[in-house]
Amino acid sequence: MKVNIERSDLLKAMSRAQGVVERRNTIPILANVLIEAEGDSVAFRATDLDIEVVDKTNGMVNQAGATTVGAHTLHEIVRKLPDGSQVELSDDGQSGRLEVKAGRSHFSLATLPKEDFPIMATSEYASNFAVPAPTLRRLFDKAKFAISTEETRYYLNGVYMHSADGPDGKTLRCVATDGHRLAQIDDTLPEGAEELPGVIVPRKTVGELRKLLDDDDVQIAVSVSETKVRFSTPQITLTSKVIDGSFPDYARVIPAGNTKRMEVDAAEFAAAVDRVSTVSSERSRAVKLSLDEDRLILSVNAPDSGAADEELAVAYADEPLEIGFNAKYLLEIASQVDRENAVFMFNTAADPTLMREGSDASATYVVMPMRV
Amino acid sequence: MNVQSPNISRDRRVISQLDEAAVNRIAAGEVVERPASAVKELIENAIDAGASRVEVAYASGGMSFVEVSDDGTGIPTAELPLALSRHATSKIDGSDLLNIHTFGFRGEALPSLGSVARLSIETRFWEEDTGAAYSVEGSVATGPKPCSRVRGTKVRVADIFYATPARLKFLKSERAEAKAISDVVKRLAMASPKVAFCLTDRTDGARKLLDVPVETGALPVALAARLGRILGREFTQNAIWIDAERDGLQLYGMAGLPTYSKGAAVAQYLFVNGRPVKDRMLTGALRAAYMDVMSRDRHPVAALFVECAPELVDVNVHPAKSEVRFRDAGVARGLIVSGLRHALADAGHRSSTTISGATLGAFEPERPQAPVYQMETRRVPAGHTAPMPGFAEASMLSGRVEARSADEGSYEPEEGLSPSTLPLGAARAQLHENYIIAQTTDGMVIVDQHAAHERLVYETLKTRMAENGVAAQVLLIPEIIDVTQEQIAALEAIAEDLARLGIDLERFGGNAVCVRSTPAILGEVDAQAMIADILDELEAEGASVGVEARINAILSRVSCHGSIRSGRRMTADEMNALLRQMEDNPMSGQCNHGRPTYVSLKLADIEKLFGRT
């Protein structure tokens, strides 16, 4: 194998590859990236046995072939090469070394046989459809903060993607929850997604998927089966197993009867929450919201270090209410609001609170109060 | 209704009364399970007979014989045959089984022994002129015939289990049985400081294993002396005296300092009304009391005595009386936990003497390489990750020792900081940016600044949490956890405590509970595992400290981050401030993991190092 690649192309491909490769591995081959040169492109394939990413980059293939080499090392090398350099990768197939040459630098890296590299089995996808990158970006970005990190509840360690009945017909819906808060984001169901089986996309896959979604003009081809999900652009294919578990019946916990409505500028609200919570040094900072007519007082009381309060002008016309929340949770949901005001719907101090972005019903957030 | 179980045989056996030998053998199975249980029964008889000296001897782990002789009242000749019949006793009259003041009362020991071993008794009742000998072999009695004995009773149990070979097979090695015997003798000796004990192994020759005289003085003095003889001087030097009372229960005894601990729960003794008992409640109570000051893999050493009116405790639970049942187990546990906690708080300043011993040992010239016990492996000052040989010397020469903050100027050693009034003295120097050296009236103190400050921060956090309560995070999706009926009852019994710690739960159908909130400080928790832990603890120890322990673990981690690091230079004022705070804080003697925060060396010890004594 002998190929020439632009450093910037190689860097992009390698950063995607090393994102998938785990830092510590008990199976040596999993630390490697499989490089396959054929025709006029070079494919970089990396896997952790749950996720596989294949990145096809343009390159000048002088001699077709394939080998595997340590992903993190190659990535580091490419990162440190000067911008604009041409990188030559060559492997004589016998010495067990990959020669990396760029300008006057020369590296000789140990390889492992390409035959040992695990290739993810292909599967029959039940549903194939295309979504514009910005749509997918919104669906996952707004939901992912609520993904659980508690490994014992593995079925919450991802974003539940499925089709649902929204207020305006069928939707493509992403839901995530950690048991304390929940995010439910909708978009119109794309053509071909009618048969979409509900799948839980793991946290790590959500992170890797994000790297595919930066370009606004790209259509992402999505394929879903009961056990796998695949996202691809013309250049990159990300295949991932989905979490084998059933996502809880989240619809039950989204409150429908909350009547106390508060509308507030999301950015001002977030800034104020952040400010008052400074006085508390505890790990779970509790912020109290005291609501009266068109007035919100945020307060924190930490007897040892002090107290803080801040008043905000809000739109509120119901009876007075006092309710406590984890400051971090409030900040995280408030930061999901881009343009509109945040609209909170309260019930009592012990019931779930609902938040929407203005009058937009396609994104719903639920947060549980804290009892102080 | 013709269906018949195949196990039911057509020819029915006749129900008949077992003969006395069989009855005794069955009873013996409950009372006497190994030579050590024979020893226990006989020593208890001796103590009940008012003995002031009990001598125990055995050979081949007690399998060839055990012998217990005392100088008590003895048994009247005429009553000897009766003493060996079942349920015959002089200790109670049978009218009130709840009011028992003696060790024995069931009247089972002697007949049981007589049925499984060759039993011989020599006794002289104090009002009689001659002694009497009596022996039983396979339930066949010989005697009584006259013998010469000055006073008291001697009981010899030979060839134990010769009559029940099945049980003989279940005995362990000679060594294990011998250890069990010595264990029994030690436990009983701890409980009776006013009785002298002597234990001899006569397997070949006579090897004296234990010989403790009658202890003199008032109870605390005598008991401390006796515990010292049995558990070792080191224990009494590193233990605190416990004395507490609640609802008619009285607790006293000695408990080891947190810095003096063992790797297994082997040296934990509980005595109820002078009777050594094994109770899982004790393990749990000790764990709860030491939770804060000892890491989970270390175990405290303690000998605790609970005294109460006989009707508050049922000793008739177990034939060998090794278990008791309190009328209110919660009170007993609470008494032990709070008694220990208070005593520990009062003694929070004492680090164990084994530590200063170890420190001095480390200084001894013949092993200069020995590490200064455990601290340095753990806290290498930041930036000094690989202490090179010669590093210590270099740093000595570089003159940080002299520092005593002369360069900081503001510090005057004499400015009213007289060491005489301060237990931890006045700070004199900081070594290796981690150890504060302070001078006290009669010696010096070395403080680990990080460990000490960490503890102080931790205590503050805990106080704050106690004052403010634990905030509860309500769950969006309540966790439904499958448990049994009994477990639901157990959880409901402690529901109030759990609510205080932020866990709200309620019954959910017949076989599940629903958890509605968890402690906010724990973040996202696995409620299922948490409840399972609580239930395990409830079952094993009768109470649960799991949630509190988890919260404390978080606080401990927070305090570790919020405290002065090793490797930070401190000014003299800062060091003195730290020492004063430590004096004010009852628990500052050890860090959150039970390691000492300071070591104190007496002037006399230092002088010894230089051969000036």
Side-chain angles (χ1 to χ4, degrees):
Chain A
M1 183 187 81
K2 190 169 182 182
V3 293
N4 271 293
I5 310 178
E6 282 274 350
R7 182 249 180 196
S8 57
D9 290 343
L10 185 55
L11 183 59
K12 261 193 228 154
M14 283 312 298
S15 19
R16 279 185 204 110
Q18 66 97 36
V20 171
V21 172
E22 292 286 346
R23 281 260 158 217
R24 287 171 197 83
N25 266 306
T26 50
I27 308 173
I29 193 87
L30 293 183
N32 281 13
V33 56
L34 173 65
I35 308 172
E36 294 167 301
E38 211 183 335
D40 56 358
S41 70
V42 187
F44 294 85
R45 187 187 294 262
T47 184
D48 67 355
L49 297 180
D50 286 331
I51 308 176
E52 182 191 71
V53 66
V54 185
D55 194 331
K56 281 203 167 108
T57 304
N58 290 326
M60 208 167 72
V61 180
N62 298 328
Q63 192 193 339
T67 188
T68 79
V69 69
H72 290 292
T73 319
L74 185 57
H75 176 248
E76 281 296 291
I77 289 172
V78 178
R79 200 172 58 80
K80 290 172 183 170
L81 289 175
D83 203 13
S85 31
Q86 278 284 328
V87 186
E88 183 195 279
L89 305 175
S90 61
D91 171 37
D92 61 9
Q94 279 147 33
S95 60
R97 299 277 163 192
L98 178 76
E99 308 297 327
V100 182
K101 286 184 198 144
R104 294 184 195 178
S105 315
H106 171 232
F107 307 84
S108 180
L109 305 177
T111 62
L112 287 173
K114 60 175 190 290
E115 294 76 24
D116 295 352
F117 196 87
I119 306 286
M120 197 176 269
T122 50
S123 67
E124 283 293 313
Y125 291 106
S127 176
N128 295 285
F129 54 94
V131 191
T135 306
L136 216 49
R137 192 164 71 210
R138 171 175 171 275
L139 282 171
F140 281 94
D141 274 6
K142 283 181 179 291
K144 71 181 174 198
F145 76 93
I147 299 176
S148 167
T149 47
E150 169 64 43
E151 302 225 334
T152 50
R153 286 189 293 173
Y154 58 93
Y155 51 87
L156 296 182
N157 295 163
V159 170
Y160 182 48
M161 180 172 78
H162 60 299
S163 68
D165 291 312
D168 314 313
K170 284 275 191 187
T171 63
L172 177 63
R173 177 175 287 178
C174 281
V175 181
T177 181
D178 65 358
H180 296 170
R181 57 259 169 84
L182 174 144
Q184 172 196 305
I185 320 294
D186 282 341
D187 212 297
T188 358
L189 193 70
E191 224 171 288
E194 294 78 15
E195 299 299 310
L196 173 68
V199 287
I200 307 169
V201 183
R203 164 189 288 276
K204 185 173 174 185
T205 310
V206 173
E208 293 307 311
L209 169 63
R210 187 62 186 78
K211 297 178 183 168
L212 271 58
L213 305 177
D214 280 329
D215 191 343
D216 278 359
D217 302 328
V218 176
Q219 286 280 323
I220 309 288
V222 184
S223 305
V224 184
S225 76
E226 295 280 348
T227 55
K228 283 195 189 119
V229 60
R230 165 173 287 180
F231 301 94
S232 30
T233 69
Q235 203 194 346
I236 308 156
T237 306
L238 175 71
T239 314
S240 167
K241 290 185 187 163
V242 297
I243 293 174
D244 183 13
S246 52
F247 201 78
D249 180 11
Y250 64 89
R252 268 187 320 127
V253 302
I254 297 178
N258 286 9
T259 51
K260 297 172 185 144
R261 183 177 187 281
M262 172 187 90
E263 185 163 350
V264 63
D265 183 293
E268 266 181 39
F269 177 74
V273 168
D274 198 15
R275 271 194 295 272
V276 292
S277 64
T278 318
V279 292
S280 167
S281 56
E282 279 168 44
R283 197 155 163 269
S284 54
R285 302 171 179 200
V287 174
K288 194 168 79 183
L289 276 61
S290 311
L291 278 159
D292 210 335
E293 199 175 335
D294 287 345
R295 198 171 60 140
L296 166 67
I297 297 172
L298 295 166
S299 58
V300 171
N301 193 6
D304 52 304
S305 60
D309 58 76
E310 180 160 342
E311 195 176 317
L312 280 176
V314 298
Y316 184 77
D318 281 280
E319 59 194 83
L321 173 72
E322 284 201 348
I323 186 167
F325 289 103
N326 186 327
K328 175 170 160 254
Y329 294 171
L330 286 183
L331 284 177
E332 280 180 351
I333 68 162
S335 68
Q336 304 308 319
V337 183
D338 320 304
R339 297 179 299 276
E340 313 256 1
N341 284 344
V343 175
F344 286 87
M345 303 292 290
F346 302 100
N347 188 12
T348 72
D351 289 315
T353 292
L354 192 115
M355 198 275 284
R356 286 226 164 85
E357 305 176 42
S359 54
D360 182 1
S362 72
T364 306
Y365 307 91
V366 182
V367 59
M368 290 306 287
M370 200 163 145
R371 209 188 49 222
V372 190
Chain B
M1 283 295 154
N2 287 331
V3 187
Q4 220 178 15
S5 158
N7 289 334
I8 297 178
S9 139
R10 301 244 168 195
D11 25 67
R12 200 179 68 85
R13 294 188 199 163
V14 182
I15 296 176
S16 59
Q17 182 73 47
L18 292 177
D19 66 33
E20 191 169 355
V23 170
N24 279 343
R25 257 175 237 162
I26 292 170
E30 293 167 5
V31 181
V32 187
E33 46 181 359
R34 59 199 299 190
S37 18
V39 171
K40 171 178 171 294
E41 297 295 334
L42 295 175
I43 295 179
E44 286 181 350
N45 279 350
I47 294 174
D48 281 344
S52 65
R53 179 171 178 84
V54 178
E55 288 180 9
V56 183
Y58 67 86
S60 308
M63 289 179 230
S64 107
F65 76 90
V66 297
E67 196 178 87
V68 175
S69 41
D70 65 59
D71 56 359
T73 48
I75 307 170
T77 316
E79 291 174 20
L80 260 177
L82 193 59
L84 278 147
S85 69
R86 202 165 148 72
H87 297 310
T89 182
S90 58
K91 298 175 184 181
I92 55 170
D93 60 5
S95 62
D96 191 359
L97 264 183
L98 290 177
N99 199 357
I100 292 161
H101 294 276
T102 49
F103 281 116
F105 59 85
R106 296 169 69 109
E108 280 182 330
L110 287 179
S112 297
L113 287 170
S115 69
V116 296
R118 297 179 218 278
L119 181 74
S120 48
I121 302 178
E122 281 177 26
T123 184
R124 177 165 163 191
F125 188 54
W126 62 285
E127 281 179 337
E128 287 176 17
D129 299 332
T130 53
Y134 190 80
S135 65
V136 182
E137 211 166 289
S139 299
V140 180
T142 335
K145 52 190 178 193
C147 78
S148 67
R149 181 160 180 87
V150 183
R151 59 183 303 202
T153 309
K154 177 166 97 179
V155 183
R156 184 182 170 96
V157 179
D159 300 328
I160 195 165
F161 299 136
Y162 83 98
T164 49
R167 186 161 283 271
L168 196 57
K169 286 192 194 126
F170 281 94
L171 290 183
K172 297 188 182 131
S173 68
E174 276 186 23
R175 246 178 84 177
E177 295 300 336
K179 184 171 178 311
I181 292 177
S182 112
D183 226 48
V184 161
V185 176
K186 281 182 182 166
R187 278 176 193 265
L188 288 165
M190 280 190 246
S192 306
K194 297 290 185 188
V195 180
F197 282 85
C198 172
L199 174 66
T200 317
D201 178 0
R202 289 213 206 115
T203 309
D204 32 38
R207 207 152 52 87
K208 213 166 248 191
L209 300 172
L210 183 81
D211 193 3
V212 290
V214 173
E215 309 293 345
T216 51
L219 178 73
V221 180
L223 187 59
R226 174 56 62 85
L227 291 177
R229 280 184 221 277
I230 307 250
L231 297 173
R233 281 277 162 269
E234 213 175 65
F235 171 68
T236 36
Q237 280 167 4
N238 291 301
I240 42 177
W241 181 256
I242 313 282
D243 200 349
E245 199 171 346
R246 182 195 281 186
D247 298 342
L249 293 178
Q250 202 206 342
L251 170 77
Y252 61 89
M254 299 189 86
L257 291 170
T259 39
Y260 175 82
S261 61
K262 299 233 184 247
V266 285
Q268 301 178 344
Y269 303 94
L270 179 66
F271 302 86
V272 176
N273 288 343
R275 195 187 293 283
V277 296
K278 287 183 178 146
D279 197 328
R280 57 182 194 161
M281 184 268 286
L282 176 70
T283 324
L286 284 172
R287 176 114 71 86
Y290 282 85
M291 177 172 74
D292 248 4
V293 289
M294 196 176 274
S295 69
R296 237 180 135 74
D297 54 347
R298 302 297 297 172
H299 297 271
V301 180
L304 301 176
F305 297 79
V306 175
E307 300 286 341
C308 62
E311 61 268 23
L312 289 181
V313 61
D314 184 0
V315 290
N316 198 8
V317 181
H318 188 272
K321 303 178 199 102
S322 62
E323 281 173 21
V324 294
R325 199 167 289 154
F326 286 99
R327 183 161 292 179
D328 188 344
V331 171
R333 184 179 190 277
L335 174 69
I336 295 180
V337 174
S338 67
L340 277 169
R341 278 201 181 149
H342 279 122
L344 286 173
D346 290 342
H349 276 305
R350 278 177 62 197
S351 283
S352 84
T353 59
T354 48
I355 290 169
S356 54
T359 315
L360 286 167
F363 280 135
E364 273 168 23
E366 62 265 26
R367 41 190 181 108
Q369 252 73 46
V372 182
Y373 70 108
Q374 44 169 304
M375 277 184 177
E376 69 168 23
T377 51
R378 192 164 52 83
R379 303 193 196 285
V380 176
H384 298 148
T385 41
M388 296 156 283
F391 169 78
E393 293 89 313
S395 132
M396 288 297 201
L397 292 174
S398 78
R400 180 60 194 158
V401 182
E402 114 292 338
R404 206 231 278 148
S405 311
D407 46 331
E408 268 111 41
S410 67
Y411 179 62
E412 297 290 328
E414 310 306 331
E415 60 171 66
L417 258 186
S418 122
S420 60
T421 50
L422 304 165
L424 292 181
R428 290 292 187 238
Q430 186 191 25
L431 299 187
H432 294 284
E433 276 84 43
N434 191 31
Y435 301 106
I436 298 170
I437 308 293
Q439 180 181 336
T440 58
T441 26
D442 59 347
M444 65 185 272
V445 171
I446 309 173
V447 179
D448 179 334
Q449 69 187 41
H450 175 72
H453 194 236
E454 185 177 333
R455 182 76 207 190
L456 292 173
V457 174
Y458 174 64
E459 287 297 324
T460 321
L461 289 176
K462 256 189 10 185
T463 321
R464 192 192 299 163
M465 179 135 277
E467 280 166 7
N468 301 355
V470 181
Q473 172 66 53
V474 189
L475 296 181
L476 182 59
I477 308 166
E479 289 256 4
I480 311 295
I481 296 161
D482 290 334
V483 289
T484 64
Q485 289 279 2
E486 299 81 63
Q487 289 174 327
I488 294 181
L491 286 172
E492 277 178 341
I494 57 162
E496 227 169 86
D497 291 333
L498 291 177
R500 199 169 42 79
L501 293 168
I503 301 176
D504 270 350
L505 48 78
E506 58 194 51
R507 187 186 278 270
F508 188 84
N511 286 309
V513 288
C514 164
V515 178
R516 297 207 171 272
S517 72
T518 55
I521 189 169
L522 297 183
E524 225 188 299
V525 289
D526 181 359
Q528 180 128 24
M530 187 160 70
I531 297 294
D533 283 356
I534 293 172
L535 285 169
D536 284 350
E537 270 186 307
L538 284 176
E539 194 166 326
E541 290 157 17
S544 173
V545 293
V547 180
E548 228 171 316
R550 276 182 187 222
I551 291 176
N552 287 349
I554 299 278
L555 293 182
S556 168
R557 214 175 306 145
V558 172
S559 61
C560 181
H561 290 295
S563 53
I564 292 180
R565 302 263 118 185
S566 312
R568 208 195 96 177
R569 279 194 181 210
M570 292 173 81
T571 64
D573 291 337
E574 284 177 308
M575 290 192 273
N576 277 316
L578 182 67
L579 295 178
R580 301 296 83 79
Q581 281 177 34
M582 287 173 71
E583 284 159 5
D584 287 344
N585 198 308
M587 302 299 256
S588 64
Q590 55 280 316
C591 79
N592 308 343
H593 318 290
R595 287 184 287 253
T597 54
Y598 68 89
V599 181
S600 121
L601 297 179
K602 297 272 169 270
L603 206 50
D605 293 332
I606 300 172
E607 281 168 351
K608 233 183 272 171
L609 285 176
F610 293 95
R612 283 173 62 141
T613 42

